[in-house]
């Protein structure tokens, strides 16, 4: 089943985000290579493709997992969480309708 994982950035965490980015992307790449990643990306903190020093308000990942517990376990191991980027993470089931 698909699961939506939303990480919400804390205040002033752009430096931590940039430092943990390589490890974060590696995990997403592994999901993609396994055919389990629908989409992933950050949410700019301002209305701009490149928010510069304003940074990001969080990230969204939609990926396939065997269960909600498995999705939560994957989210709990995110390098952004360990680095203190995310103040909180929400994981919930997602039903793909379109495209």
């Amino acid at each position: 089943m698909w699961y939506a994982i939303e990480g919400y950035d804390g205040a002033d965490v752009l430096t931590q985000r940039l430092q943990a980015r390589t490890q974060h992307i590696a995990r997403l790449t592994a999901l993609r290579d396994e055919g389990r990643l629908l989409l992933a990306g950050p949410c700019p903190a301002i209305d701009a493709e490149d928010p510069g020093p304003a940074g990001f308000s969080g990230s969204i990942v939609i990926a396939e997992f065997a269960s909600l517990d498995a999705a939560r376990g994957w989210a709990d191991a995110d390098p952004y969480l360990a680095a203190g980027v995310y103040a909180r993470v929400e994981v919930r089931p997602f039903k793909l309708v379109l495209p």
Side-chain angles (χ1 to χ4, degrees):
M1 180 165 186
W2 295 106
Y3 293 90
I5 300 169
E6 295 180 81
Y8 297 87
D9 285 20
D12 301 316
V13 295
L14 184 57
T15 299
Q16 294 97 305
R17 178 182 267 275
L18 294 174
Q19 290 172 346
R21 186 174 190 276
T22 300
Q23 298 149 313
H24 174 79
I25 296 295
R27 297 178 77 234
L28 293 170
T29 300
L31 283 177
R32 181 202 64 199
D33 292 350
E34 294 167 7
R36 297 173 42 210
L37 183 64
L38 181 63
L39 65 85
C43 301
I46 61 173
D47 189 13
E49 180 82 18
D50 179 359
F56 300 90
S57 62
S59 302
I60 298 172
V61 173
I62 299 180
E64 189 174 36
F65 293 92
S67 67
L68 181 57
D69 284 342
R72 285 184 176 143
W74 187 90
D76 287 346
D78 195 301
Y80 281 175
L81 195 58
V85 175
Y86 293 153
R88 76 180 203 279
V89 175
E90 293 181 11
V91 181
R92 59 184 185 245
F94 177 82
K95 181 176 176 169
L96 179 63
V97 175
L98 291 171

